[in-house]
Amino acid sequence: MAKSQIYGYSDKLSVKAGDDIKFMISAEGTATFKARLVRLIHGDEHPDGPGFLEEPIEAPLDRDWPARKQYVQKGSFLQVADPARVLAPGGAFTLHAYVFPTLPGAGRQVIIGRWSVERNLGYALGINGSGRLEFWVGDGAQADAVAAEPLLMPQVWYFVAASFDSRTGNAVVHQQAVLNRYNSLLSKIVPYDYASHVSERLRVRPGHAGDVRFLIGGASERSEARGEFVSQCYNGKIDRCGVQGGVLDGRELAAISAGGKPGAADILAYWDTTAGYTDRGIGDTVIDVGPHKLHAEGVNCPVRAQTGWNWNGRNDCFRLAPEEYGGIEFHNDAMTDCRWEPSFSYTIPAELKSGVYAVKLTAEDERAEEYVPFVVRAARPRAPICLLLPTASYLAYANAQLSFEADAVQAITAVTPILQDIDVEIYKNGVEFGLSTYDHHADGAGVCYSSCRRPIFNMRPKYRMPAVCCPWQFPADLSIVAWLDHMGYQYEVLTDEDLDRDGIAAIKPYRVVINGSHCEYYSERMMDATEDYLAEGGRLAYLSGNGYYWVVAFREKQPWIMEVRKLEAGSRAWQARAGEHYLASTGERSGLWRHRNRAPQKLVGAGFTSEGMDVSVPYRRMPDSYDPSVAWIFEGVRGEIVGDFGLARGGAAGIEIDRYDLTLGTPPHSVILASSEPFTDNYPLVQEDVMFMHPGMGGTQHPLVRADMVYFTTPNDGAVFSASSIAWASALPCNGFDNGVSRVMKNVIDAFMKVGPLPGKR
Amino acid sequence: MEAFRVSGASPAVGDGAIATNISAAADLTAADTRGAWARPRLRVRYPFTRRTPLLIRVAYDPRSLATRRTIVDKRPLYWVAGLILLAIVPLLGSNALLSSSTVFAMYAAINIVWILVVGTAGIWSLATLAIVGVGAYGSAYLSITYGLPWWGMIAIGPVFGLICGIIIAIPAIRLEGWYYALLTVGLAELCRVYAVQSQALGSSEGGLYGAATFIPNGVSQRTGLVISFFAAFVLMLAALALYRVVNGQRLGRLLRAAPEKQEAFAEALGVNYRAARIRVFLISSAALGLIGGFYATYFTGASPSLFSMDNMMLLLAMITIGGIGTTGGAVVGTLIVVLLDQVFVELGPLRLIIVAAIMLASVLFTRGGLFGVATQFSTWRSRRKSERRAQRSERGGEVMPDEATEIRDKQTIYVRRFDETVRKHLRPLVTDEVIAEHKRNPSGPHSDTLERLLNYFRRAAITDKYGILAVKSFAEYRVIALSGRRGVPPRVVDDKVYATPDEAQHAVFLRRVQDLMQS
């Protein structure tokens, strides 16, 4: 019997009273599913803590809903609306493009064409199953093709073209490498003969139907269950491409392949992939500079701003030389929006207090369960405390497959991963809901876009990240929610989305902002807002390890999509290709904030220094912490050890940890309140601190491997308390929330909540 | 947003003109873009098909990266050479050789059509010769009785063949394998008895003779023999063409999708293999009828020996020796048997024993007859090779030179050597104390010795690496092995269940230690 499955997502992660939130649900193996609104309180089932806690809330959505399966369109491609059917030429025509294939041989892939897979109808230039360039046509019954001779080599720029003479049926494919010193994996010293030109008389003439879409990087397909979708998606980059009327001969094509422009008279369409770039980023529209203006629209975020066929290595950004950055990168497993039909929606009532909520979905047989979490923020902030959930970082890790796919993961974490059923289920289904920025596309390229418009199975209560064997991000942050609840604080919840959109206005009303356990990914607007907030007297409890690390951006028109490029430094799951270091979304340089001279130390006094997942350790108070200006933080804490317990591997300091460093911009008056006891050697010093490799980089030997609890004040009675450890939040619930870590937190929050000067101020 | 351009006088986008922002590419290799392109290579096809005469594979040589063009399937060349030889050699020989060659070509035609029935359709019919006989008797009878000319005899043959085929096909719907074979033997015998006893079919003269012949009056005997031979040769070519059309097109593909013992699966996929089988059978029957018509006009009549068991067995020997299922096998098998039977007549009955011996040998020692020997040999050789390699890598040995040439990423060869060295140094570190230490404290901190072992275990490649599955968090854990391939779930390693994460972590450690010690 098929196991029932339910997956869902909402159109927004953060809503306020009066907002409408839509829930998109796909369910299989069950006729109906039950929905229930719950407030999430605690998400870690570890037996040493309070366990999973939720509170049912009455809502009109609480009922049985009819179930149906909704499909996911994977693969990025460009589609061209062509109502006049300009691109269905009855006569002779020529297709041409620059391509940089990355996975030739992995199934049929369409580069450019109008092809209906199940009907054998239309025409396309693509890569056949054997990995060769092929031009094929179909009349609705039969297909015919002509293929080039040698295999296409991966990661080499080619100019490819195909011409078709409808009178004689003669078809010619052309492939010619256009590699230079910089643009390809290989250089000209490799004795491949890449060129191939083959002519063959085809028996079939292409048929045309109005409903077959013209696509760049995919083909149309239709099935009874699913309706129309796109398949045979391409992997690799495509630079300027077009469709010409008439047969272009070798001489004319050679001229285009060398950078010439196609003859204007014959242009049916010519997509200048470098057109329309702005200083502030590139959108999803690829402009047709031909007479018909058949602009192509990207689906699932084809990656723009990539180096093109003529990149010459001198310029490193599309803003400097747009004409060298015409590459658009496609992946057959890219997915940034499920585009499901809403199953139901919910209008947030005025009386619903701010907090972390979820719609809990249960199948009829109760064997499948899904939580679709969202945050209700205050329509008019009233509470003194704001919990800022690091949703940008949730997106970065969304649906991560590290423990299944990365050789190094067990070496990094020093534990054998513990998987749950959901992990196996998702992996078995080929990770159909898209990947995280920790994963690679099928061709090995890193994933630079993540989105919340898709089920994110690891952003769920009770989920434990396999690689580290404990809750990570969202479920771990619920320990802070549970603590705030238990301690009876008045608090409201915000997300990174809100901070990015509203800037400082989002957090200004609050006297304290509490960060989640791992606020690693930050946009410039979020950085600026935090910095301004602190400068204006705001108070921040930084409960993270490894925060403010990566430069990310949310897309202007699709704020649910986030982009990151991982550059030459940092603990990075992948590394962007040379020359592709700037965000297509904003034109900013990505990579580490540290390398844009905004190391986390400048903001919170501490920044990433090491990670390991074997054992966490306690903090030991530092002599400075007895100074009256800060001693109040430890009021009621006995002894000098804090946090020799915790749900995250047995200590409050661990997993990912930060250190104080004046050379990186820790405010000079900062105090190290406490530092961690030594870690094991599975905590090595981070790569960006290593100028030369040498042995002895592990926790037992290197003094920079430590977690520093840091405190400093900012102008206008502002202050920052930095716990500098991911494990901190998971130590809060131990012993019924009655413990040293909880005590320190209470002292800090109590003090930060009060208007006026901070305690100990002289 | 402000449009941003640094270089070039590109016109504003969307004004209909083409942006001129394609700079001339520096450093392009001259051979690739600057010079004139080579003229397209014209790929010629057979008329009315999508096939090219030869399948040529173009590939980069892994050693030199030079482009190599190889003919993937050389059989068309062998066929052309073989057929030319077959067409010329008989002309150089005696009259006896010529007439034997005619018989050979005729039998080869029958066998090729039979291969369609047995190989393509998978119907075990032994009535092949009987259908030929019915075609021969029918056309001879019409010629003798109604003065049907020779071309009319060949034309009417398929009608008899088809009628005969329909009658024989009906039981094929329900009977399978040897039951059907027995039935067809019975039918052939029935025909023979009928022909032997029927007055109308010349029971008294031992056959029906006096039918029209295609050899013109007044030509010399040699010329007549040459005409006969080429007529039979054309018949064989026609049989080959028929085979190609039926087996190579839709019908043949349908039937290849429904091989023996997988019919139900094919049917579930919507392949109507029964109808396809019957159609192939009927087409073959018509063709056999035509050959019967040709037979009658060649021999100017027909004899009951056409229905005899011994002739049928000789035919069976031909296709068995060559290898059932290939036309090449059918032709070569026929050639061998006809050569023995007709050319070495002086050997007497001994030659039948030789035929039987060859048949027995090919059944016992070859898979797919003489024509399968080459594949059989290369399969055997590659199996031996991989056995040898497997033994060697099992013992942690170095990659062998012939194996190394096949490894694309040469680094893997070094890694194999390196890992073996590492394992050699690690094995002595495994002691009861170390295992006890891990059991006591699977997470750490660990002694340097244990840490060294763990570092080796943890850095292993992802494929088949151990993991743990939480069947129920904090209650039930199992050891699994990861696939390393997206879409392929991990496999459960054994049926042991562990109550805590620590126990499961230690179980994985023990497995890894065991793997280390055994490698």
Side-chain angles (χ1 to χ4, degrees), chain A residues 434-638:
Chain A
L435 299 156
S436 77
T437 66
Y438 283 80
D439 297 310
H440 297 83
H441 291 292
D443 63 3
V447 176
C448 68
Y449 284 113
S450 183
S451 154
C452 60
R453 292 220 167 155
R454 55 181 178 143
I456 300 175
F457 71 90
N458 57 2
M459 194 178 76
R460 300 288 183 258
K462 297 189 260 187
Y463 183 79
R464 306 182 79 77
M465 185 175 174
V468 298
C469 308
C470 54
W472 187 263
Q473 299 278 20
F474 178 71
D477 289 343
L478 288 175
S479 287
I480 305 173
V481 173
W483 181 81
L484 288 167
D485 258 35
H486 181 87
M487 306 302 279
Y489 285 112
Q490 293 297 309
Y491 69 95
E492 287 161 1
V493 184
L494 279 179
T495 67
D496 283 351
E497 251 180 49
D498 306 312
L499 187 59
D500 184 74
R501 185 189 56 239
D502 301 338
I504 186 175
I507 47 174
K508 200 167 168 53
Y510 299 101
R511 290 202 282 277
V512 194
V513 171
I514 302 175
N515 246 325
S517 61
H518 191 19
C519 55
E520 185 180 359
Y521 290 77
Y522 253 67
S523 73
E524 187 174 37
R525 283 194 294 253
M526 288 157 59
M527 290 293 275
D528 294 353
T530 311
E531 189 178 328
D532 292 349
Y533 172 74
L534 288 175
E536 290 177 21
R539 292 153 181 184
L540 177 66
Y542 167 70
L543 307 190
S544 285
N546 187 9
Y548 312 102
Y549 193 62
W550 292 107
V551 178
V552 299
F554 290 92
R555 285 167 68 106
E556 187 79 36
K557 287 184 183 148
Q558 297 143 302
W560 55 90
I561 295 175
M562 187 189 84
E563 183 185 8
V564 67
R565 305 283 175 119
K566 309 213 169 180
L567 309 189
E568 290 104 331
S571 295
R572 56 213 191 279
W574 51 274
Q575 184 165 311
R577 275 189 221 99
E580 300 177 349
H581 294 176
Y582 286 74
L583 298 172
S585 307
T586 59
E588 278 173 276
R589 186 177 195 274
S590 191
L592 301 188
W593 275 115
R594 172 174 172 168
H595 298 130
R596 284 178 64 191
N597 207 24
R598 290 181 85 169
Q601 277 89 344
K602 282 175 85 170
L603 205 55
V604 290
F608 191 35
T609 192
S610 183
E611 67 180 336
M613 285 80 184
D614 55 346
V615 270
S616 300
V617 298
Y619 297 86
R620 182 185 293 273
R621 283 181 67 173
M622 294 288 279
D624 272 332
S625 70
Y626 297 94
D627 188 274
S629 62
V630 292
W632 54 270
I633 294 173
F634 293 91
E635 226 173 78
V637 178
R638 261 177 293 161

Side-chain angles (χ1 to χ4, degrees), chain B residues 451-469:
Chain B
E451 200 63 25
R452 230 183 152 75
L453 277 169
L454 287 168
N455 281 345
Y456 170 74
F457 295 150
R458 288 165 180 164
R459 76 155 170 84
I462 198 80
T463 305
D464 244 15
K465 202 168 185 167
Y466 292 114
I468 297 165
L469 179 70

Side-chain angles (χ1 to χ4, degrees), chain A residues 143 176 274 319 323 407 419, chain B residues 4 21 32 50 462 468 470:
Chain A
Q176 194 86 23
T274 68
R319 291 184 289 141
E323 70 281 0
D407 289 334
L419 302 148
Chain B
F4 184 86
N21 56 0
D32 271 336
R50 272 167 282 186
I462 198 80
I468 297 165

Side-chain angles (χ1 to χ4, degrees), chain B residues 103-289:
Chain B
V103 171
F104 152 73
M106 217 152 42
Y107 273 123
I110 293 172
N111 283 336
I112 289 162
V113 177
W114 192 17
I115 290 285
L116 270 182
V117 178
V118 182
T120 306
I123 296 176
W124 273 98
S125 165
L126 295 176
T128 306
L129 217 43
I131 300 173
V132 176
V134 170
Y137 265 99
S139 52
Y141 180 81
L142 290 179
S143 178
I144 294 164
T145 317
Y146 302 106
L148 199 66
W150 64 267
W151 47 267
M153 289 168 69
I154 295 174
I156 203 79
V159 178
F160 286 106
L162 197 61
I163 293 167
C164 199
I166 290 169
I167 294 165
I168 305 178
I170 293 165
I173 299 167
R174 302 194 64 99
L175 284 177
E176 277 178 13
W178 284 108
Y179 297 101
Y180 185 73
L182 281 175
L183 179 89
T184 53
V185 169
L187 281 172
E189 187 59 15
L190 194 71
C191 292
R192 190 185 67 80
V193 173
Y194 185 84
V196 168
Q197 296 189 356
S198 163
Q199 283 286 337
L201 297 184
S203 61
S204 45
E205 295 91 23
L208 205 52
Y209 291 106
T213 171
F214 54 74
I215 298 167
N217 277 328
V219 299
S220 71
Q221 192 201 6
R222 181 76 186 175
T223 313
L225 285 173
V226 169
I227 292 174
S228 300
F229 168 67
F230 276 111
F233 191 74
V234 169
L235 187 73
M236 184 178 84
L237 292 183
L240 281 171
L242 178 78
Y243 181 87
R244 193 86 182 85
V245 168
V246 174
N247 188 60
Q249 299 289 330
R250 190 177 167 76
L251 269 177
R253 280 163 198 228
L254 278 178
L255 287 167
R256 269 197 295 286
E260 215 179 329
K261 299 207 172 88
Q262 290 174 34
E263 291 97 338
F265 178 68
E267 199 163 25
L269 291 178
V271 174
N272 190 352
Y273 72 95
R274 286 172 213 274
R277 277 182 182 181
I278 298 298
R279 279 176 66 190
V280 172
F281 189 80
L282 294 180
I283 291 169
S284 314
S285 299
L288 290 170

Side-chain angles (χ1 to χ4, degrees), chain A residues 45-47 132 142-145 147 149-151 153 159 172 174 176-181 188 190-194 197-203 240 250 253-254 257 259 261-262 267 270 272 274-279 287 289 293 309-310 319-320 323 333 403-407 410-411 414 416-420 424 427-428 431 435 440 464 614-615 649 680 682, chain B residues 1-7 13-29 31-33 35 37-43 45 48-50 52 57-60 64-67 69 443-445 448 451 455 457-463 465-471 473-474 477 480 482-490 501 505 508 512:
Chain A
E45 293 180 299
H46 197 293
R132 290 178 171 83
Q142 288 204 317
D144 204 347
E149 291 184 327
L151 294 171
M153 289 292 113
F159 176 79
V172 190
H174 302 273
Q176 194 86 23
V178 288
L179 60 96
N180 67 17
R181 295 189 203 280
K188 63 183 175 187
V190 179
Y192 278 132
D193 179 7
Y194 301 98
H197 304 268
V198 179
S199 160
E200 207 163 337
R201 186 157 292 194
L202 304 186
R203 294 179 69 206
R240 282 143 281 206
L253 287 170
S257 81
K261 51 183 177 178
I267 291 181
Y270 179 60
D272 180 356
T274 68
Y277 285 14
T278 79
D279 191 33
I287 291 166
V289 293
K293 298 191 173 50
W309 71 277
N310 53 349
R319 291 184 289 141
L320 280 175
E323 70 281 0
D333 53 2
S403 54
F404 280 113
E405 299 190 337
D407 289 334
Q410 298 192 16
T416 306
I418 299 181
L419 302 148
Q420 290 169 281
V424 177
Y427 194 65
K428 197 169 72 184
V431 203
L435 299 156
H440 297 83
R464 306 182 79 77
D614 55 346
V615 270
R649 312 214 67 81
T680 67
N682 291 309
Chain B
M1 278 192 244
E2 149 210 23
F4 184 86
R5 291 213 174 271
V6 172
S7 63
V13 164
D15 64 358
I18 300 155
T20 52
N21 56 0
I22 306 170
S23 70
D27 286 333
L28 294 174
T29 50
D32 271 336
T33 47
W37 281 3
R39 283 176 66 84
R41 186 186 290 271
L42 182 67
R43 205 179 273 151
R45 295 173 165 191
F48 314 114
T49 71
R50 272 167 282 186
T52 50
R57 191 172 61 110
V58 182
Y60 296 121
S64 66
L65 302 187
T67 307
R69 312 174 68 85
S443 310
D448 288 355
E451 200 63 25
N455 281 345
F457 295 150
R458 288 165 180 164
R459 76 155 170 84
I462 198 80
T463 305
K465 202 168 185 167
Y466 292 114
I468 297 165
L469 179 70
V471 182
S473 283
F474 301 104
Y477 296 91
I480 54 175
L482 306 174
S483 72
R485 273 181 53 209
R486 202 172 280 173
V488 180
Q505 295 278 352
V508 167
R512 287 171 165 169

